[in-house]
Structure formats: C-alpha cells, structure tokens
Amino acid sequence: MRSDINLAVVGATGLVGRKILKVLEERDFNYKSLTLLASEKSAGQIINLNRKEHIVSGIKDSSFDNIDIALFSAGGSASKIFAPIAAQSGCIVVDNSSAWRMDENVPLIVPEVNPDDLKGHRGIIANPNCSTIQMVLALQTVHELFGLKKVVCSTYQSISGAGQKGISQLKDEIEGRIPDTRISPYQLAYNTVFHSFSEGNNYTEEELKMVNEPRKILHLPHLEMEVTCVRIPVLGGHGESLYIETEKEVDVSKLKSAYEETAGIVLTDKPENDIYPMILSAEDKDSVFIGRIRKAVNSSKALNMWVVADNLRKGAATNAVQIAELIAVNDLWEFDL
C-alpha cells in the first residue's frame, strides 16, 4: 500500500464527514497529507485528527489539484458539480451521495460483496445507500448458497440517516423544546415517519434506492424487490426485516455456518436465550449483525431474518474508507475518463 497518498475529505464538518475522519484514524489509513473541504460557511473550522489540527477549506475547482483520492460526503448537488472536476484532475472520488449510484459507468461498491467491480473505474466510485449496504451483505451469502428469487424488506431506520438536523429535531422534541430546524413536518419522537416520496409514484426515494441498488451490486437486474422504509425515533442504527424467496431449498444450519465465516458479518442468533441483533448491538461498530434466521412457515424455499448495522459507519463512513483501502492495496490508481 502506498505511503504517499494525498487524501481529501469533502463535507468534513458534517455528520458522515466527521465519522469518516474517525474511521480513518481508527483504521490507521496510511496517507501522506490530509485536506479537509466543506462549504464556504464551514471554512476556517479546526478539526483535530491524529493529534494534529486541520483547518477546513472551502471547496473550489482547484481543490483537487495533487489529490489522489477524495471521500465525498457533501450531498448530491456538490457531488454532481465537483466529482467530475476532481476526476478531471486525476483524483479518484468515492462518493457517499446518491448522485452517481445508478450511472452505468460508475461502480457501486460494497467491498465484501463486489470488489472486482472496482476494476476499470473511471475516477468516480459510488458508495451505496446505508440500508442497501447491510442488506446486500446478508443477501450475497443467501444467493451463493440457494439463489435469490425475491426479496421483501421492511426497514426500521434511525433518524441519524437524515443527518444532524434529524438528530437535533428528535432530541428537541424528547426534551420538550421547539426545534429550530425541522427535517420532518411531523413529530419524530414516539412516532414513525416515512422518507420523502418520489415524484410521480407512491414509493419513497429511499424505497426506490433499495429496489435498484441491490440489483446493480449483486448483478441481478431482474431480482424481484419489494421494500417499505420507515424512520423510527432512535439516534443510530438501522434494522431490516427480510423475507427472501430462493431458487433452492433453504438449509438454515448451512446458512448460519456460512455467515460465521463471512467477513463483515456477526451472527447473533440464539433465540432460546433471547439473543438477537438490536440497534444498540451495532452502535459504533463496523459489522453487520444478523439473527432471527428461520424458514418461512409455508415454504421450504423461503426464509426470514433480521439485519442490523450502524448506518453512519458501515452504512456510510466505513464502507467509503474500505473502498479507498481497496484502491490503495490493489493499486487501482490509473483510470480513463
């Protein structure tokens, strides 16, 4: 792995940006220099990392000169503008927004699932939706063993997926304050709400992401997917209930054994002792926790399971850093636009 990497984090002052910095420090990512970028209103802020003070700079066209890799977490609008500029400068972009995920020329990567898709990248690499990441980690093993036919998913998603404003609104409501800024027109505390609805149909944008992204990552363009996404009043971590129909008969013991050997997954499934994944199980951890695995009541070719992960870590920051590590370890620096 190179030791002369010039690294940038775009959106460094945001919720995911700060988590990326924490993950970089924890994983001891080997870089020569670190540039922190954000909007002009955040320029001048000081962030401490590895016992050094880093001053945040405002992002501009020349920000990526001499940068080898940039981890973007500044929203889709900024990514649409600056990711191509960065790539034109020879910088590889790992983008956390939804801006490039379904572009046929942009690989959509979960390192444990489809690392080979990085080969031949064109300078922009997309990080999947947080809920997609934990789901495809669970689905990949099922597909390898039994073949995937249909997936029905219901999510129980932390309000941290809406960013710092969502967390602030929930805390304000719980503590009896009127929120200064509302991410939702509805009360979040003690309630369940949906994400923004997609224009022209009755699905939310989050639901459509979870339908389309797994098909691309798993190379299963015709996989039947049905998804309902719900926000719940917790501060961190997403849960997912999965009903999966398979091509072959399900062997639960075989699946559990496979999960125990699968990188990035922690099997937590002892119902006789009331041991199963909870939102708090995943807090500040990089693994995906899977449990409550059981055959469907009326079919030997179907099963149910419960999947939990920290949406800010494996669902965003950690996955992005892992992609950067793959690029460095496999020397995937060269690309054609």
Side-chain angles (χ1 to χ4, degrees):
M1 182 171 172
R2 283 173 49 180
S3 59
D4 61 344
I5 298 170
N6 296 314
L7 181 68
V9 176
V10 181
T13 60
L15 197 60
V16 174
R18 289 181 180 273
K19 193 68 72 172
I20 286 173
L21 296 176
K22 181 179 180 182
V23 172
L24 286 168
E25 188 172 33
E26 288 176 359
R27 295 175 74 90
D28 196 23
F29 188 92
N30 196 10
Y31 56 81
K32 177 183 176 183
S33 69
L34 178 64
T35 300
L36 304 188
L37 301 169
S39 64
E40 285 296 334
K41 68 178 183 180
S42 297
Q45 289 189 33
I46 296 174
I47 295 178
N48 288 294
L49 188 68
N50 288 324
R51 300 179 182 178
K52 289 179 62 177
E53 288 188 347
H54 297 267
I55 300 175
V56 178
S57 300
I59 188 172
K60 53 188 178 182
D61 289 3
S62 61
S63 295
F64 304 98
D65 295 347
N66 301 314
I67 299 295
D68 296 302
I69 189 165
L71 306 180
F72 273 57
S73 188
S77 298
S79 293
K80 277 289 189 183
I81 295 169
F82 288 106
I85 293 171
Q88 287 284 349
S89 300
C91 170
I92 298 173
V93 172
V94 180
D95 182 40
N96 266 296
S97 80
S98 61
W100 300 97
R101 289 175 186 158
M102 299 313 298
D103 188 309
E104 62 181 12
N105 295 315
V106 175
L108 184 63
I109 301 295
V110 178
E112 298 92 340
V113 177
N114 62 331
D116 288 345
D117 288 355
L118 272 176
K119 297 173 183 176
H121 71 81
R122 299 185 183 182
I124 300 175
I125 298 154
N127 207 31
N129 177 51
C130 50
S131 301
T132 298
I133 290 172
Q134 65 189 74
M135 179 168 64
V136 296
L137 264 166
L139 293 179
Q140 172 73 359
T141 304
V142 177
H143 179 55
E144 290 174 348
L145 292 176
F146 315 118
L148 288 175
K149 184 177 179 182
K150 181 177 182 178
V151 178
V152 180
C153 176
S154 296
T155 72
Y156 304 71
Q157 293 179 236
S158 159
I159 197 59
S160 63
Q164 186 58 53
K165 289 181 180 179
I167 291 175
S168 296
Q169 180 179 335
L170 177 59
K171 285 184 173 180
D172 285 344
E173 290 174 353
I174 289 173
E175 294 169 11
R177 298 186 297 270
I178 298 175
D180 290 335
T181 304
R182 300 185 66 88
I183 198 71
S184 170
Y186 302 106
Q187 177 177 311
L188 300 178
Y190 318 112
N191 197 14
T192 56
V193 298
F194 292 110
H195 300 68
S196 300
F197 281 85
S198 179
E199 196 171 315
N201 61 46
N202 200 26
Y203 283 83
T204 67
E205 294 175 0
E206 186 82 355
E207 289 161 353
L208 293 177
K209 292 174 189 175
M210 292 190 68
V211 167
N212 294 320
E213 292 177 21
R215 292 171 173 168
K216 180 175 180 177
I217 296 165
L218 296 169
H219 302 286
L220 295 171
H222 304 297
L223 178 63
E224 291 185 58
M225 296 286 304
E226 296 294 341
V227 182
T228 301
C229 294
V230 184
R231 292 198 194 278
I232 62 173
V234 298
L235 294 177
H238 289 353
E240 295 174 352
S241 172
L242 298 181
Y243 166 78
I244 305 166
E245 293 182 2
T246 58
E247 299 288 349
K248 302 175 183 177
E249 186 169 340
V250 171
D251 183 331
V252 170
S253 296
K254 188 176 182 180
L255 179 59
K256 288 184 177 182
S257 296
Y259 278 147
E260 288 177 334
E261 302 299 322
T262 302
I265 287 176
V266 174
L267 182 67
T268 310
D269 196 3
K270 294 183 179 179
E272 68 278 8
N273 296 323
D274 284 337
I275 296 175
Y276 45 82
M278 295 177 284
I279 296 294
L280 291 179
S281 308
E283 185 176 11
D284 216 27
K285 296 183 177 68
D286 291 328
S287 298
V288 172
F289 296 78
I290 299 178
R292 299 221 57 216
I293 302 171
R294 59 211 188 275
K295 274 190 179 181
V297 173
N298 296 314
S299 175
S300 62
K301 294 183 178 180
L303 72 154
N304 296 279
M305 68 175 66
W306 175 244
V307 182
V308 171
D310 186 319
N311 55 295
L312 295 179
R313 289 190 66 105
K314 183 54 183 169
T318 301
N319 202 75
V321 173
Q322 286 176 313
I323 293 171
E325 290 171 344
L326 276 179
I327 293 166
V329 168
N330 293 289
D331 198 26
L332 298 173
W333 300 105
E334 300 296 325
F335 62 91
D336 296 321
L337 294 171

